[in-house]
């Protein structure tokens, strides 16, 4: 919401982080700190590619970076799910601004390797650029390159070509390890240049494998893990390594496999995706303990959750969230869920916490695994269109708290407390004497209760239904001490001549803060909502949170010469308070939607960021700051009562963005492959007798599996030629096939449609099923008269044409090579005839050199470039939408449109497809040649497809192409096709065009 003039009456802020202490030992040597206690103190400065040597150590409590304790508050994003490198910076800057100090990424082998020995790290695959951008943003990086990643991507990240090779994956099979070593050599050549230990970048941790539990109890597993460990070290990776246990099993704790004699550089981590309907689990100090107890499985390493649920994925048909899609995920795993579950983790000693996902993005092209559709929004805190949602509030508050209040890096379990109606956790910092209480309400009604603190205070607390609250006592607020506060601290920092502390909670709650003060202070109630009283050596302050926006109370004199500015904010307001560290000190900014950068130049603080609506601006910085610029323009300011600089004129919001109507469509039918006379002489002969697939080959029949012939992504065509054999008595044709979820086929005999078949929509029991098999039997109507029979008997040559939408490979979560299950036809049989058939197969052409192998499939239009912007389509038929076409096959639609988004505006645009859900058809969406997803009209739930800027030219011409597959069972569309504004902001980042060849 806009910030009122009254709201901007004061504040002040900055927290100068101390300089990083140089650690003893070599780069990444945890042993430098393992043998001695590390005291509580300021966190290390944000990382950068500074060229300096750094140490990364750990003990039971936390990581120790350059001698200082670090709590890792990380968010997961995948560069490959945002195919516009300019936008990586946008998401990373949003993460940093909202409290994250780390980003965790997968590097997907299949995304970078189109063929054995070929590796592409250019363009949208530029891992080096991503790691540079993260360091420039001030974020640590956790790198997770597999070789297996799962991640709901095709084959769990294994390249398509690997599915047709010899060797059992995720074992010590020498053929498999040979391919793995090639991949690791290629990716590690980049990663090692960006390690924090030698100042090349900000890579902090490195994961080997992913949720590997297939061979834990036999020698294969430890030998495989040992091989990966030694290979990564041999490649020059010297930061601490880890693995993520799929559950709380105690798998791969330190000492469970041979590390070549290296000790003290391996972390145990475990993943967790508890349901919001469950009670938040104790996976640490308050839990069951032992190998099944989560963090307690490795008592000498810090509690580490490499993946904790920030949402959940949705299957085709949307059964997971009742057809509501990821909006349904965001409803159930909301901000209250985050407080309940993440605060429980914090109470259990988890100080390395990665939220999967923080930005989900798009599984564009043929990237998605069978279990998901195109969108991978995940219900994350930052949605697929890069909009920050209300789920960011707990992340923002906790992230800044953990970075700027060092007490949380070293908490130990304290005496149990009883709070009627609530689950209570009590922790304390042994160095500072501060206390932390997590109070959780697992019930369905609000609870009002009383907490007896360690100091003997009775604190009245209210916790809403299915929510949680964090309270602190005896916490240092700069030079003063907090007795207690019923609102949660969000940060404590020092700016110029004053300390600043922010306290947050739900809108309308009454915050009660008690500050120790042996002598009476001078208190200024800067905003009218606050009330205060001094009594018996303590200062009481009460504030209704959110009423009037930000509430400020300035405390001076008393027992300290340093003023303390107390800030109180409801969730929405707190999300617009941004601390930012500069070499000269911390800048605190209040007002805009986002702060991207702050730089001090002389007496001016130069700010860049985003606004969505008209808003005020308030800035605190080091002493001597007298002026402010916003996105390069000077801002007229005045000095507030609290020493801040307050804008006298509001910053403008985002201007209106107008989108064009999509019209001028041109249309052309394809699938000439179905015709009997089609020339398939250049197609691949399908006559192999053996395969490395896990699917058996029917005895006496050829291998028809698409992967065996080099066709790994998208649609595949088959043509079976029958020579010198009459089919006059043929009764039916049976086509057995194997696909991923929602696979389908269409068949023609001598150019006449036999029919279509599709796999069922997943239900609650089959949402995790990755491979589907079925046999489609099509009856054949024989000749009815003697003359027709004689004519049929004369025909001795026939062609059976089959188009299979194979969908994607299964993932190999159980380490049994499920990614090698066949895709495409598996066998063809005839009833009433026994012809000999010679088969040819055709899938995608050569991989697009820019867009990559996952962009294209084997449709005729794809092979001929009908999806590309350079195509001359003037001879195509003019067409209007909506359509009501009949028949089985493939039809293409193309149109162009121009956008004129105002300069300096970040507009996120989507393509929306809607139609009568009874109409059975599907659409492949191509924007400027990029395959941005698949729409299945009668299945859903996805109707809106994000068009990423860079691929979408927001100031220029665009080409949209739709490949429509109709199965012949109903009328087909498209129906309504329109552009939709998904979000806009004044500001944003510079976006470079992701250009590609036109043909």
């Amino acid at each position: 919401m806009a910030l009122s003039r009254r709201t901007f009456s004061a504040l002040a802020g900055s927290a100068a982080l101390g300089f990083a202490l140089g650690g003893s030992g070599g780069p990444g040597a945890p042993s430098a700190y393992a043998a001695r206690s590390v005291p509580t103190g300021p966190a290390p400065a944000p990382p950068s590619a500074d060229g300096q040597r750094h140490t990364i150590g750990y003990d039971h409590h936390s990581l120790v970076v350059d001698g200082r304790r670090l709590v890792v508050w990380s968010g997961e994003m995948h560069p490959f799910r945002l195919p516009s490198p300019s936008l990586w910076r946008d998401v990373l800057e949003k993460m940093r601004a909202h409290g994250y100090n780390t980003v965790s990424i997968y590097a997907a082998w299949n995304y970078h390797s189109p063929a054995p020995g070929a590796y592409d790290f250019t363009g949208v695959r530029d891992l080096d650029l991503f790691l540079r951008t993260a360091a420039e943003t001030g974020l640590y990086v956790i790198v997770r390159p597999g070789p297996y990643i799962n991640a709901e991507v095709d084959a769990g990240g294994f390249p398509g070509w690997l599915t047709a090779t010899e060797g059992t994956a995720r074992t010590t099979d020498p053929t498999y390890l040979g391919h793995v070593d090639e991949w690791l050599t290629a990716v590690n050549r980049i990663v090692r240049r960006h390690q924090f230990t030698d100042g090349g970048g900000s890579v902090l941790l490195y994961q080997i494998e992913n949720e590997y539990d297939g061979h834990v109890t036999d020698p294969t597993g430890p030998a495989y893990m040992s091989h990966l460990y030694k290979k990564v070290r041999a490649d020059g990776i010297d930061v601490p390594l880890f693995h993520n246990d799929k559950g709380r099993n105690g798998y791969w704790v330190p000492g469970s496999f041979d590390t070549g004699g290296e000790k003290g550089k391996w972390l145990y981590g475990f993943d967790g995706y508890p349901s919001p309907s469950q009670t938040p689990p104790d996976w640490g100090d308050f839990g069951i303990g032992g190998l099944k107890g989560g963090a307690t499985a490795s008592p000498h390493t810090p509690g580490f959750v490499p993946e904790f649920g920030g949402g959940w994925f949705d299957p085709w048909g949307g059964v997971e969230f009742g057809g509501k899609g990821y909006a349904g995920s965001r409803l159930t795993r909301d901000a209250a869920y985050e407080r309940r579950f993440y605060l429980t983790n914090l109470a259990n000693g988890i100080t390395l916490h990665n939220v999967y996902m923080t930005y989900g993005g798009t599984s564009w092209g043929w990237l998605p695994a069978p279990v998901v559709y195109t969108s991978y929004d995940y219900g994350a805190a930052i949605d697929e269109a890069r909009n920050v949602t209300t789920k960011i509030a707990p992340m923002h508050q906790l992230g800044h708290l953990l970075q700027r209040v060092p007490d949380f890096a070293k908490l130990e379990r304290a005496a149990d407390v009883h709070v009627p109606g609530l689950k209570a956790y009590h922790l304390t910092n042994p160095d500072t004497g501060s206390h932390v209480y997590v109070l959780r309400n697992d019930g369905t009604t609000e609870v009002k209760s009383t907490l007896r603190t360690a100091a003997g205070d009775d604190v009245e607390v209210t916790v809403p239904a299915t929510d949680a609250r964090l309270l602190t006592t005896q916490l240092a607020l700069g030079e003063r001490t907090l007795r207690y506060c019923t609102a949660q601290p969000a940060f404590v920092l020092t700016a110029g001549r004053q300390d600043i502390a922010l306290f947050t909670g739900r809108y309308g709650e009454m915050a009660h803060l008690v500050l120790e003060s042996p002598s009476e202070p001078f208190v200024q109630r800067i905003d009218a909502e606050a009330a205060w009283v001094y009594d018996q050596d303590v200062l009481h302050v009460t504030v209704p949170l959110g009423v009037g926006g930000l509430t400020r109370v300035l405390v001076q004199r008393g027992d300290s010469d340093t003023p303390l500015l107390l800030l109180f904010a409801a969730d929405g307001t707190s999300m617009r308070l941004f601390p930012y560290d500069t070499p000269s000190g911390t800048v605190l900014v209040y007002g805009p939607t986002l702060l991207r950068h702050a730089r001090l130049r002389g007496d001016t603080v130069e700010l860049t960021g985003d606004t969505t609506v008209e808003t005020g601006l308030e800035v605190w910085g080091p002493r001597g700051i007298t002026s402010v610029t916003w996105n390069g323009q000077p801002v007229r300011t005045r000095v507030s009562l609290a020493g801040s600089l307050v804008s006298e004129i509001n910053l403008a919001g985002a201007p209106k963005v107008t989108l064009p109507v999509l019209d001028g469509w041109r249309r052309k039918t394809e699938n000439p492959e179905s015709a009997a006379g089609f020339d398939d002489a250049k197609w691949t002969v399908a006559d192999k007798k053996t395969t490395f697939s896990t699917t058996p080959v029917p005895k006496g029949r050829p291998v028809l599996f698409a992967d065996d012939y080099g066709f790994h992504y998208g649609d595949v065509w088959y043509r079976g030629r029958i020579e010198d054999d009459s089919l006059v008595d043929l009764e039916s044709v049976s086509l057995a096939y194997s696909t991923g979820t929602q696979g389908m086929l269409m068949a023609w005999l001598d150019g006449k449609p036999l029919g279509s078949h599709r796999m069922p929509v997943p239900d609650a029991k089959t949402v995790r099923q990755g491979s589907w098999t079925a046999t489609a039997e099509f009856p054949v109507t024989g000749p009815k008269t003697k003359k027709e029979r004689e004519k049929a008997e004369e025909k001795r040559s026939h062609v059976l044409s089959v188009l299979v939408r194979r969908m994607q490979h299964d993932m190999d979560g159980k380490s049994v090579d499920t990614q090698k299950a066949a895709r495409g036809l598996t066998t063809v049989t005839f009833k009433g005839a026994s012809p000999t058939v010679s088969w040819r197969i055709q899938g995608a052409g050569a991989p697009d050199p820019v867009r990559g192998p996952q962009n294209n499939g084997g449709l005729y239009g794809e092979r001929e470039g009908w999806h590309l912007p350079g195509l001359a389509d003037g001879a195509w038929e003019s067409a209007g939408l909506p359509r009501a076409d009949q028949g089985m096959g493939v039809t293409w639609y193309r149109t162009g449109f121009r956008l004129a988004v105002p300069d300096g505006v970040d507009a996120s645009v989507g393509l929306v497809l809607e139609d009568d859900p009874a109409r059975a058809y599907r659409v492949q969406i191509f924007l400027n040649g990029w395959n941005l997803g698949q729409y299945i009209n009668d299945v859903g739930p996805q109707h809106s497809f994000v068009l990423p800027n860079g691929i979408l030219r927001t100031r220029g011409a665009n080409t949209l192409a739709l490949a429509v597959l109709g199965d012949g069972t109903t009328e087909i569309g498209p129906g309504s096709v329109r552009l939709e504004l998904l979000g806009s902001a004044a500001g944003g980042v510079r976006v470079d065009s992701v250009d590609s060849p036109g043909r």
Side-chain angles (χ1 to χ4, degrees):
M1 64 180 184
L3 302 178
S4 67
R5 174 63 50 207
R6 194 215 56 74
T7 301
F8 279 89
S9 60
L11 190 61
S14 239
L17 289 180
F19 58 87
L21 298 176
S24 59
S31 57
Y33 306 104
R36 60 185 177 88
S37 175
V38 179
T40 299
S48 64
D50 59 9
Q52 303 297 310
R53 308 286 280 185
H54 297 277
T55 57
I56 306 171
Y58 59 80
D59 61 13
H60 166 71
H61 293 290
S62 71
L63 288 187
V64 179
V65 172
D66 293 337
R68 296 185 173 195
R69 293 195 175 278
L70 174 71
V71 177
V72 173
W73 193 246
S74 174
E76 185 89 10
M77 75 164 290
H78 300 150
F80 56 83
R81 283 190 161 114
L82 185 55
S84 179
S86 300
L87 298 182
W88 297 343
R89 184 178 297 275
D90 175 68
V91 174
L92 292 174
E93 288 180 352
K94 286 172 178 171
M95 290 176 63
R96 185 214 58 78
H98 288 296
Y100 297 89
N101 61 3
T102 306
V103 59
S104 173
I105 65 167
Y106 278 131
W109 187 359
N110 59 359
Y111 193 64
H112 295 279
S113 182
Y119 297 96
D120 182 3
F121 290 94
T122 63
V124 297
R125 294 164 175 77
D126 193 343
L127 178 61
D128 186 86
L129 173 60
F130 182 90
L131 295 176
R132 291 201 313 270
T133 304
E136 292 165 3
T137 307
L139 292 174
Y140 293 106
V141 182
I142 299 172
V143 176
R144 307 203 291 158
Y148 178 79
I149 64 171
N150 190 283
E152 288 74 63
V153 296
D154 182 85
F158 285 149
W161 56 262
L162 190 71
T163 66
T165 60
E166 186 179 10
T168 304
R170 310 184 79 184
T171 71
T172 53
D173 183 287
T175 302
Y176 167 71
L177 288 183
H179 294 307
V180 165
D181 287 352
E182 264 195 4
W183 159 242
L184 292 177
T185 296
V187 71
N188 289 340
R189 185 180 296 120
I190 297 171
V191 174
R192 72 186 179 211
R193 298 199 299 263
H194 296 273
Q195 295 183 98
F196 182 66
T197 45
D198 62 10
S202 57
V203 172
L204 181 74
L205 301 171
Y206 181 110
Q207 178 179 304
I208 60 174
E209 250 291 341
N210 188 79
E211 297 185 332
Y212 181 60
D213 65 354
H215 299 279
V216 177
T217 58
D218 63 65
T220 297
Y224 175 50
M225 293 292 284
S226 179
H227 177 92
L228 296 178
Y229 190 103
K230 294 173 183 177
K231 168 60 180 171
V232 170
R233 287 292 186 231
D235 284 345
I237 304 301
D238 67 1
V239 299
L241 307 181
F242 71 96
H243 174 266
N244 57 331
D245 192 349
K246 185 183 294 186
R248 276 63 54 203
N249 304 298
Y251 295 157
W252 314 121
V253 296
S256 58
F257 62 92
D258 178 20
T259 59
E262 184 176 76
K263 296 182 179 179
K265 298 181 73 172
W266 175 257
L267 296 171
Y268 170 71
F270 60 92
D271 293 349
Y273 291 90
S275 166
S277 63
Q278 297 175 345
T279 300
D282 289 321
W283 289 336
D285 294 343
F286 286 83
I288 61 173
L291 290 178
K292 300 291 185 180
T296 59
S298 181
H300 302 297
T301 62
F304 185 8
V305 183
E307 295 181 28
F308 195 87
W312 190 246
F313 61 82
D314 199 29
W316 286 106
V319 67
E320 190 70 45
F321 303 111
K324 297 178 181 178
Y326 287 113
S329 173
R330 202 168 275 110
L331 283 173
T332 55
R333 292 166 173 84
D334 58 3
Y337 168 90
E338 292 175 322
R339 285 188 290 270
R340 287 178 71 218
F341 285 78
Y342 300 173
L343 286 176
T344 299
N345 285 350
L346 182 65
N348 275 274
I350 309 298
T351 58
L352 287 85
H353 195 281
N354 179 55
V355 177
Y356 188 107
M357 302 290 295
T358 290
Y359 170 76
T362 306
S363 297
W364 59 282
W366 296 106
L367 271 172
V371 294
V372 292
Y373 45 88
T374 298
S375 175
Y376 199 66
D377 178 280
Y378 216 78
I382 303 175
D383 72 17
E384 186 180 3
R386 298 178 292 109
N387 298 306
V388 172
T389 72
T390 55
K391 286 183 62 170
I392 208 71
M395 309 306 301
H396 182 103
Q397 296 158 1
L398 285 170
H400 287 301
L401 175 70
L402 297 174
Q403 290 182 55
R404 297 178 182 277
V405 179
D407 304 57
F408 286 88
K410 192 178 181 181
L411 292 177
E412 297 179 352
R413 184 171 179 174
D416 291 345
V417 295
H418 176 65
V419 183
L422 299 173
K423 171 71 173 178
Y425 300 86
H426 179 202
L427 305 108
T428 186
N429 184 293
D431 299 332
T432 67
S434 61
H435 291 259
V436 174
Y437 301 88
V438 172
L439 307 178
R440 199 180 72 220
N441 182 358
D442 295 325
T444 57
T445 58
E446 179 182 88
V447 172
K448 295 183 179 181
S449 193
T450 301
L451 165 69
R452 169 61 65 93
T453 71
D457 293 309
D458 288 328
V459 181
E460 301 299 319
V461 294
T462 301
V463 183
T466 59
D467 209 327
R469 185 178 303 281
L470 182 148
L471 304 181
T472 54
T473 67
Q474 303 308 122
L475 182 69
L477 304 182
E479 294 187 3
R480 302 173 195 263
T481 301
L482 175 72
R483 185 75 165 263
Y484 65 83
C485 183
T486 59
Q488 175 181 304
F491 58 69
V492 180
L493 48 86
T494 301
R497 295 185 176 90
Q498 63 184 350
D499 300 321
I500 304 174
L502 171 65
F503 293 85
T504 65
R506 313 297 79 75
Y507 183 90
E509 292 179 345
M510 183 65 71
H512 180 198
L513 180 145
V514 180
L515 191 69
E516 294 184 354
S517 185
S519 58
E520 184 171 2
F522 175 68
V523 181
Q524 288 181 281
R525 186 182 60 175
I526 296 175
D527 296 307
E529 290 76 23
W532 65 272
V533 64
Y534 180 76
D535 182 47
Q536 297 183 352
D537 297 335
V538 293
L539 173 68
H540 294 261
V541 179
T542 55
V543 175
L545 296 177
V547 179
L550 186 67
T551 301
R552 311 157 180 84
V553 176
L554 183 62
V555 181
Q556 300 181 80
R557 300 197 287 273
D559 60 334
S560 175
D561 293 330
T562 302
L564 170 64
L565 183 65
L566 297 171
L567 307 178
F568 299 88
D571 292 335
T573 301
S574 73
M575 291 164 56
R576 305 182 80 158
L577 277 158
F578 302 100
Y580 192 100
D581 296 308
T582 77
S584 301
T586 302
V587 172
L588 181 63
V589 176
Y590 172 48
T593 305
L594 181 72
L595 176 69
R596 294 185 181 275
H597 292 288
R599 181 173 65 174
L600 303 184
R601 188 186 295 251
D603 62 359
T604 300
V605 56
E606 299 174 342
L607 306 175
T608 61
D610 297 0
T611 57
T612 53
V613 296
E614 183 179 322
T615 182
L617 176 69
E618 193 163 10
V619 182
W620 298 262
R623 284 178 284 180
I625 298 300
T626 61
S627 61
V628 177
T629 66
W630 176 256
N631 289 341
Q633 299 300 312
V635 178
R636 192 166 73 243
T637 62
R638 60 180 174 82
V639 178
S640 72
L641 293 176
S644 60
L645 298 176
V646 181
S647 61
E648 295 189 338
I649 299 176
N650 283 352
L651 304 179
K656 182 179 180 181
V657 175
T658 302
L659 301 177
V661 173
L662 296 177
D663 55 16
W665 292 94
R666 291 188 175 275
R667 173 181 182 272
K668 187 173 183 178
T669 58
E670 56 135 281
N671 52 277
E673 302 94 335
S674 64
F678 178 80
D679 184 4
D680 58 18
K682 294 183 180 180
W683 285 21
T684 301
V685 175
D687 60 357
K688 292 186 176 183
K689 302 300 182 184
T690 60
T691 180
F692 296 119
S693 172
T694 55
T695 301
V697 180
K699 185 176 181 180
R701 298 186 182 275
V703 175
L704 296 178
F705 314 156
D707 288 298
D708 285 79
Y709 299 98
F711 303 120
H712 307 302
Y713 305 106
D715 300 301
V716 61
W717 274 97
Y718 296 86
R719 282 173 59 85
R721 190 169 297 277
I722 304 168
E723 301 287 357
D724 300 324
D725 199 321
S726 172
L727 298 182
V728 66
D729 294 320
L730 180 64
E731 299 176 25
S732 65
V733 177
S734 294
L735 306 174
Y737 72 120
S738 176
T739 73
T741 308
Q742 277 301 284
M744 66 175 293
L745 64 72
M746 295 182 281
W748 295 259
L749 181 61
D750 294 332
K752 297 180 180 180
L754 286 176
S756 62
H757 186 276
R758 59 191 294 181
M759 299 297 181
V761 179
D763 58 23
K765 295 181 179 179
T766 58
V767 291
R768 304 301 295 272
Q769 183 173 325
S771 286
W772 299 70
T773 59
T775 298
E777 183 176 3
F778 300 113
V780 177
T781 302
K784 297 180 179 179
T785 66
K786 180 179 179 180
K787 185 174 181 180
E788 288 176 344
R789 184 176 181 89
E790 289 173 350
K791 186 176 180 181
E793 288 175 343
E794 293 175 0
K795 185 174 178 61
R796 311 297 291 182
S797 178
H798 302 272
V799 175
L800 176 62
S801 303
V802 183
L803 173 62
V804 179
R805 173 140 291 183
R806 43 167 294 155
M807 302 301 279
Q808 290 85 352
H809 303 93
D810 196 1
M811 298 180 292
D812 189 29
K814 296 183 179 179
S815 305
V816 290
D817 266 352
T818 46
Q819 81 284 357
K820 289 187 175 182
R823 290 296 182 260
L825 289 179
T826 54
T827 189
V828 179
T829 57
F830 301 83
K831 184 177 181 181
S834 302
T836 300
V837 186
S838 59
W839 289 98
R840 289 182 181 267
I841 183 172
Q842 177 64 57
D848 188 303
V850 174
R851 302 176 181 95
Q854 288 88 7
N855 195 70
N856 295 346
L859 295 180
Y860 181 85
E862 292 176 289
R863 304 197 311 268
E864 293 297 310
W866 292 8
H867 61 298
L868 296 174
L871 180 77
D873 58 10
W876 287 26
E877 170 193 356
S878 294
L881 299 184
R883 300 286 300 186
D885 292 335
Q886 302 282 347
M888 184 179 77
V890 184
T891 305
W892 284 74
Y893 294 82
R894 286 171 56 92
T895 190
F897 63 92
R898 297 188 66 89
L899 295 182
V901 176
D903 192 26
V905 173
D906 178 10
S908 183
V909 179
L911 183 75
V912 178
L913 293 87
E914 294 177 325
D915 204 347
D916 179 351
R919 301 170 76 182
Y921 67 91
R922 56 186 69 191
V923 181
Q924 283 300 119
I925 300 166
F926 293 89
L927 176 69
N928 297 326
W930 293 80
N931 181 349
L932 294 184
Q934 180 178 191
Y935 168 75
I936 306 183
N937 181 67
D938 58 328
V939 174
Q942 185 174 5
H943 289 269
S944 180
F945 294 79
V946 174
L947 308 177
N949 297 346
I951 290 175
L952 177 70
R953 301 182 182 104
T954 57
R955 295 177 63 82
N958 297 274
T959 299
L960 180 64
L962 307 178
V964 180
L965 278 72
D967 64 12
T969 61
T970 69
E971 288 184 342
I972 60 174
S976 170
V977 181
R978 70 179 189 275
L979 298 175
E980 180 178 62
L981 186 66
L982 302 177
S984 65
V989 297
R990 172 185 168 181
V991 178
D992 295 324
S993 178
V994 186
D995 289 323
S996 305
R999 290 297 301 274

